[in-house]
Amino acid sequence: MTRREHRGRITPTMRTKRRLVGRASVVSVVSVVVTAWLAMHRTAALAEETPLAMRCAQFAGAAVSPELIAMPTAGAQIESAGMIGATAPGNQQGGEYCRITGRIKALNPTTPDIRFDLNLPRHWNGRALQIGGGGYDGEVVSGIGVMPFSPDRAPLAQGYATFGDDSGHVGNASLAIFGLVDEAVTNFGYAHLKKTHDAALALIARAYGRPPQRMYFAGGSTGGREGYTVMLRFPEDYDGVIANSPALNFSGVRLIGVKLGQAEYASPGGFVPPPLLERVYQRTLEVCDRLDGAADGIVSDVQACREHEAQIIDSLRCAVHPESHDACLTDAQLATLLVMRNGLSLPYRLAWDVAGYRGYNVFQGTQLTGALGLAHQPWRQPVPAFYANGYLFAQGDGYLRYFIARDADFDSLTFDPQRPGKYRAQMIALSATIGSMNPDLSRYIAHGGKLITLQGLADEVISPNQTIAYHDALIARFGKDEVDRFMRLYMVPGFQHGNGVFIPSVDLLGALDAWVTRGVAPETLTATDLAAATNGRSRPLCRYPGFPRYVGKGNVNLASSFVCALPPGDR
């Protein structure tokens, strides 16, 4: 093999390495990469002595052999590779890095490619970070920016090799059309994570002459589901995971979105206009804001607030013959909100014995008037839009059309999730392909992996009660002490799905790395508020089931004026 051929293709030197196909292990896959690479280059020192700019240029046009990707593919092709200078326009990372873009080819040529980006810092810290997507994905995660709800310094600027992908289709977070393609659905569900992971590891090992010492994953919403997915399906590949606001019960959240749309658009009088949604929110603040000791616009003691729920609902209900409906809710409108509050119960089981979806904290400080809230127009568009018809309904409608019925003209308002008929088998199969509700994380625990999950108690997209239920299922399976050894759950009052009256900024990656590398388990963390109206105030991030309670004195905008309290039943 000539030096030029050598540079153009990354491949094992021994045919026996083909036995790796189908295995999900960092150690096994990386050992092949490193063994093959060092055998051809003699020592890693040679790669380390070569300037990164020269190594980066060698990637242009290179290929990653299918044997190095432990799921069936036609290999990966590098489309571009070039150095981004520290002072280049748009480079806010504070250092020079090699940016690589590529595609992973499917065995079936009609299946869309998995597009990915990989960033290799000049000053590498020996760690790699895979970053998840959002919604229905469809856009390449660049990996060059600051992590959501984290301090200003991006992982790439800290020396992490970062990478992400588009999950195997082109579109945006709102488009579910790819649900018509079987392999694209499998890629979206889980396969893209492994394929991109293995391709990136091969390239990282080639660039630096050694594999990462630590491999992490971080994501939120769909990316949070992806975080739980890698722990379940590829547990030996990762040392630590940050999985925020995770869409674990992907089918469940789509189905409850359909039920909400039906309540608003197929039930007479069920539409709840934004002013009334705001009235519900303000009423919950009037009753519950001070239950944590501070009038700060945040409902922190959600459990105590729930004890006042009947009172709140009665105060919002219209009289028999109201003079005006501008300040009260009819029974039909309350029924819509109760669909969201009650959640979804199914008379059959989805994958992993899932029988529905947990309800939301509708009357405990959740604001439903934002872009990801309920509908803002009293009529349904032919193809529901997020803002006009509500995020949950728009996403659920797309799921029914393309993933379940596989009919673009399917009317989701006529579909009964409790009686799915001929679609039942498809619904169950999809819940296994895309969902991450299996509580058996035993292999990840045995591997020594760590997990941090942050979730808003006022989340209007992913029910915080669904995340709590999964955490409780872990405790039921492994016991509290075992779960505490590998997991931290932080439920954040006032935080919604990326917005809210309190938007936490906290260094979760630093906390995860300290836990993995030095055994420093995170306890109470301090979060700084990113919300525009209250930017800069701080609160303690309490381990679940704790919540911040004001001590009764001191600056209400400082975390030091709060303690982490426990609900009565958990003391």
Side-chain angles (χ1 to χ4, degrees), residues 37-105:
W37 185 249
L38 296 186
M40 292 184 286
H41 284 260
R42 297 185 181 181
T43 66
L46 179 61
E48 294 175 350
E49 292 170 2
T50 305
L52 181 62
M54 293 180 61
R55 285 175 270 156
C56 185
Q58 293 174 356
F59 282 115
V64 177
S65 172
E67 290 90 341
L68 296 179
I69 301 174
M71 296 191 77
T73 72
Q77 186 68 43
I78 305 305
E79 294 189 315
S80 68
M83 293 299 296
I84 306 298
T87 59
N91 182 4
Q92 302 176 359
Q93 310 315 311
E96 187 180 31
Y97 65 97
C98 172
R99 181 158 182 80
I100 297 171
T101 68
R103 294 176 179 265
I104 301 171
K105 302 288 185 178

Side-chain angles (χ1 to χ4, degrees), residues 125 177-178 204 252 260 262 283 307 326 354-355 406 429 449 480 493 541 564:
N125 66 6
I177 298 174
F178 71 95
I204 291 170
L260 276 171
Q262 292 171 348
R283 181 58 181 150
E307 296 175 3
D326 293 340
V354 171
R406 304 195 126 177
K480 185 179 184 302
L541 277 189
C564 287

Side-chain angles (χ1 to χ4, degrees), residues 264-339:
E264 288 216 292
Y265 296 115
S267 301
F271 177 77
V272 187
L276 283 183
L277 291 174
E278 183 64 19
R279 173 64 184 134
V280 173
Y281 172 65
Q282 292 298 332
R283 181 58 181 150
T284 64
L285 290 183
E286 292 170 6
V287 175
C288 298
D289 184 7
R290 294 178 179 270
L291 295 177
D292 58 6
D296 55 1
I298 302 174
V299 176
S300 293
D301 194 344
V302 169
Q303 183 167 314
C305 183
R306 192 167 287 123
E307 296 175 3
H308 296 271
E309 185 174 85
Q311 167 197 342
I312 293 171
I313 292 174
D314 285 344
S315 69
L316 292 167
R317 191 188 306 272
C318 291
V320 178
H321 299 292
E323 296 181 1
S324 171
H325 286 173
D326 293 340
C328 63
L329 284 84
T330 65
D331 288 344
Q333 291 169 331
L334 279 172
T336 296
L337 297 183
L338 291 178
V339 167

